[in-house]
C-alpha cells in the first residue's frame, strides 16, 4: 500500500484575516462595535466599553495584525482622557512626531502579493511614553467594565496616581532627552560608530538655548568648576561666558540611548547609565516642582555633554 499523504494544515480564519490589508482589518474591528441606533444611550455606552475591554484582553493577542488594529482603536479612544489627566506643568507626547524607518514603521501593504510586509518591528515604539499610555488603557478598560457590572465597585485611584505622578513624567523626560541628545550628537540610537567626531561647541543649540523658563540651563557645579579651571584659569568668577574663548573641539563618543534611563523625583533628576548588570548615575540636576520637563531635559543634555568631554564615556 502507498504511504499516507503528507499532512497539510488548513489555513484558519485568523491567518486568512491576517493577510487582509490594514485598512480592511481596521474596518472589521470597527464593525465589532454596536450601531448608533441602540436601545438607549447608557446601554450603548456599556456595550461599547465591554467591546473595548474585549479588544484589550482578547483580540489584540491573536496575532500581530490584530494587535496593530486593536491598539489603533484603543489608543485613539483613550488618548483624550489620558491627556486630560497629565498634571501641569508636565507635558505629554505618547507618539513620536517623526517615525524613524529603521526603528519602527507602519506595515506596508503590497497589492500584488496580498501580504503585509514590515521593514521593522512596528510593535515596539522608540517613544517610551507609549508604554505608559498602554498601561493606562489596560487599567482604564478594566475599571470601566467592573464599574458597569457592579455599583459597589470603587475605582482605585492609586493606579492612576502612580502613572501620572511618576511614570508619565519620567518616560516623557526620557523621550525629550533622546530628542535633544540626538540633535546635539551626545546620544545615539544604534551601535554604529558616529560618522564624525562631535564637540561641545560644534552645535550652537547648546550655547543658545531659549526656553520659556526664567533661568537658562547650566552645567552641574562639578562640570562648571572643571570647565572654568581648564579654560579660564586666572579669570575672575564674575567673567561672563561671552568673554571666555571657546576651546578647540574635542571628539566625544555618544551614549547609546538604550543604556540610558531617568531617575525622577519632584526635586531631583538623574541620568542613569546601565552597563551589563551595573547601574550608575552619571548626571544629576536639581529641579523645582514647576519646572517644565523640556527645561529639565535640556539641563541633562548639557551636563551629559560636559560629562562626555571629561572622559566619562570612555
Amino acid at each position: 500500500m502507498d504511504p499516507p499523504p503528507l499532512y497539510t494544515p488548513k489555513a484558519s480564519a485568523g491567518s486568512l484575516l491576517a493577510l487582509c490589508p490594514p485598512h480592511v482589518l481596521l474596518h472589521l474591528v470597527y464593525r465589532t462595535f454596536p450601531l448608533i441606533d441602540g436601545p438607549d444611550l447608557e446601554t450603548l455606552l456599556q456595550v461599547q466599553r465591554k467591546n473595548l475591554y474585549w479588544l484589550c484582553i482578547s483580540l489584540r493577542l491573536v496575532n500581530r495584525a490584530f494587535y496593530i488594529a486593536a491598539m489603533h482603536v484603543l489608543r485613539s479612544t483613550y488618548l483624550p482622557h489620558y491627556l486630560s489627566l497629565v498634571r501641569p506643568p508636565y507635558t505629554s507626547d505618547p507618539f513620536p512626531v517623526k517615525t524613524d524607518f529603521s526603528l519602527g514603521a507602519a506595515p506596508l501593504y503590497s497589492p500584488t502579493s496580498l501580504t503585509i510586509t514590515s521593514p521593522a518591528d512596528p510593535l515596539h515604539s522608540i517613544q517610551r511614553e507609549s508604554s505608559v499610555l498602554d498601561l493606562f488603557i489596560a487599567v482604564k478598560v478594566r475599571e470601566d467594565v467592573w464599574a458597569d457590572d457592579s455599583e459597589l465597585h470603587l475605582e482605585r485611584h492609586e493606579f492612576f496616581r502612580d502613572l501620572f505622578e511618576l511614570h508619565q513624567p519620567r518616560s516623557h523626560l526620557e523621550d525629550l532627552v533622546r530628542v535633544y541628545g540626538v540633535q546635539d550628537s551626545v546620544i545615539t540610537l544604534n551601535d554604529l560608530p558616529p560618522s564624525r567626531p562631535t564637540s561641545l561647541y560644534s552645535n550652537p543649540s547648546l550655547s543658545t538655548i531659549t526656553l520659556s523658563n526664567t533661568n537658562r540651563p547650566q552645567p552641574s557645579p562639578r562640570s562648571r568648576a572643571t570647565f572654568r579651571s581648564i579654560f579660564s584659569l586666572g579669570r575672575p568668577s564674575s567673567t561672563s561666558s561671552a568673554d571666555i574663548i571657546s576651546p578647540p573641539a574635542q571628539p566625544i563618543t555618544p551614549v547609546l540611548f538604550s543604556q540610558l534611563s531617568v531617575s525622577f523625583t519632584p526635586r531631583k533628576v538623574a541620568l542613569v547609565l546601565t552597563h551589563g548588570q551595573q547601574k550608575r548615575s552619571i548626571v544629576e540636576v536639581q529641579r523645582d516642582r514647576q519646572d517644565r520637563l523640556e527645561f529639565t531635559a535640556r539641563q541633562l543634555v548639557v551636563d551629559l555633554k560636559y560629562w562626555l568631554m571629561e572622559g566619562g564615556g570612555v
Side-chain angles (χ1 to χ4, degrees), residues 10 14-15 69 74 135 157-159 162 168 191 200 209 309:
K10 296 182 179 180
S15 60
L74 290 169
L135 288 176
H157 297 281
E158 63 270 15
F159 291 155
D162 293 340
Q168 188 276 327
D191 295 319
L200 176 64
I209 300 173
M309 286 186 62

Side-chain angles (χ1 to χ4, degrees), residues 29-35 47-49 51-52 55 73 77:
V29 173
Y30 274 111
R31 294 292 294 179
T32 60
F33 287 89
L35 300 178
V47 175
Q48 289 180 349
R49 286 191 286 264
N51 198 81
L52 291 170
L55 292 181
V73 176
T77 301

Side-chain angles (χ1 to χ4, degrees), residues 22-189:
H23 67 281
V24 175
L25 193 61
L26 185 61
H27 178 72
L28 294 176
V29 173
Y30 274 111
R31 294 292 294 179
T32 60
F33 287 89
L35 300 178
I36 300 299
D37 54 350
D40 58 86
L41 180 60
E42 184 60 30
T43 303
L44 178 64
L45 293 178
Q46 291 182 8
V47 175
Q48 289 180 349
R49 286 191 286 264
K50 287 185 178 180
N51 198 81
L52 291 170
Y53 180 74
W54 172 74
L55 292 181
C56 183
I57 67 170
S58 299
L59 184 63
R60 69 170 182 162
L61 305 180
V62 173
N63 53 33
R64 179 185 299 259
F66 275 112
Y67 180 90
I68 297 174
M71 290 307 299
H72 174 82
V73 176
L74 290 169
R75 287 172 174 173
S76 60
T77 301
Y78 287 98
L79 180 60
H81 191 193
Y82 173 85
L83 296 177
S84 67
L85 295 178
V86 174
R87 304 188 175 188
Y90 300 149
T91 55
S92 174
D93 184 17
F95 306 108
V97 178
K98 296 181 180 179
T99 301
D100 191 337
F101 189 80
S102 63
L103 293 173
L108 304 178
Y109 169 60
S110 175
T112 56
S113 61
L114 296 179
T115 58
I116 298 176
T117 60
S118 177
D121 190 357
L123 304 184
H124 300 90
S125 173
I126 191 175
Q127 200 81 352
R128 294 186 179 179
E129 193 183 357
S130 299
S131 61
V132 179
L133 174 61
D134 295 343
L135 288 176
F136 169 77
I137 293 174
V139 175
K140 184 60 177 174
V141 294
R142 187 192 65 179
E143 294 295 317
D144 288 345
V145 172
W146 286 7
D148 291 336
D149 290 342
S150 174
E151 296 181 355
L152 301 178
H153 175 70
L154 299 178
E155 190 175 76
R156 303 183 65 177
H157 297 281
E158 63 270 15
F159 291 155
F160 302 104
R161 184 175 62 249
D162 293 340
L163 282 176
F164 291 98
E165 285 187 356
L166 175 61
H167 296 286
Q168 188 276 327
R170 181 179 61 187
S171 60
H172 185 45
L173 182 60
E174 290 175 347
D175 293 331
L176 292 172
V177 169
R178 184 198 74 238
V179 173
Y180 296 151
V182 171
Q183 290 177 355
D184 296 329
S185 302
V186 296
I187 292 178
T188 181
L189 302 179

